[in-house]
Amino acid sequence: MARSHVKELAREAFELDEVVVDCDGDLPFPFGTALVYVSVVRDGRLVRVWSRALSGIHVNKAVLREIDEVNAGLIFGRVFTRLDGVIVESCLPVEPLRPCDLGRLVAEVGATADRVGSMLAAVHGGDVVFPDGCDASSSQPD
């Protein structure tokens, strides 16, 4: 039930006729150089908006310092490393969520993933999902 509710919120937030659902049940949205996913977790109680901002990076002290600086400026999210990647995520409860809340959360995670992934790739190497970027306004097919 929570998944269909979140899917409807996304449809309204982005004014879409149809929302794409991937094989994991997540809703993917391209944003700049990143791909943002909306997932329903914790037995349908939370919506997790996340992105793998960068993959193929060697995580060292300099990378961790840069991630720490980004985290210091975030309010509703976090950036962390997992294996050879950098993840940006934020979670909110599903029940009180409104379309505008979901839209803002996707935009915040997407903008952060785009900015952090591009910056870290330029300085430390690694790969972003869309090296040439994409138009955030075309995040779903018409």
Side-chain angles (χ1 to χ4, degrees), residues 68-95:
D68 190 43
E69 285 182 31
V70 172
N71 278 322
L74 296 177
I75 295 172
F76 289 111
R78 67 183 180 144
V79 180
F80 59 94
T81 61
R82 173 154 295 147
L83 301 174
D84 70 340
V86 176
I87 309 295
V88 179
E89 77 169 4
S90 187
C91 296
L92 286 175
V94 168
E95 193 173 317

Side-chain angles (χ1 to χ4, degrees), residues 27-142:
L27 311 177
F29 295 93
F31 199 105
T33 60
L35 187 56
V36 178
Y37 294 94
V38 176
S39 307
V40 176
V41 297
R42 304 287 172 129
D43 298 322
R45 294 188 318 262
L46 290 178
V47 64
R48 176 183 181 231
V49 178
W50 62 279
S51 178
R52 178 179 278 273
L54 189 65
S55 61
I57 188 171
H58 174 71
V59 179
N60 56 34
K61 287 182 183 181
V63 170
L64 293 174
R65 272 193 295 273
E66 300 222 33
I67 289 173
D68 190 43
E69 285 182 31
V70 172
N71 278 322
L74 296 177
I75 295 172
F76 289 111
R78 67 183 180 144
V79 180
F80 59 94
T81 61
R82 173 154 295 147
L83 301 174
D84 70 340
V86 176
I87 309 295
V88 179
E89 77 169 4
S90 187
C91 296
L92 286 175
V94 168
E95 193 173 317
L97 202 62
R98 301 170 302 169
C100 61
D101 301 328
L102 183 60
R104 286 183 192 127
L105 200 57
V106 168
E108 182 70 23
V109 169
T112 302
D114 178 40
R115 180 174 44 87
V116 169
S118 297
M119 182 267 300
L120 288 174
V123 175
H124 301 283
D127 303 301
V128 295
V129 175
F130 302 113
D132 296 329
C134 66
D135 181 6
S137 66
S138 65
S139 59
Q140 289 286 320
D142 290 332

Side-chain angles (χ1 to χ4, degrees), residues 3-21:
R3 285 184 195 277
S4 62
H5 176 62
V6 169
K7 186 176 174 183
E8 180 60 21
L9 291 173
R11 191 190 65 71
E12 288 181 38
F14 300 108
E15 300 176 351
L16 303 170
D17 293 328
E18 185 179 331
V19 177
V20 173
V21 179

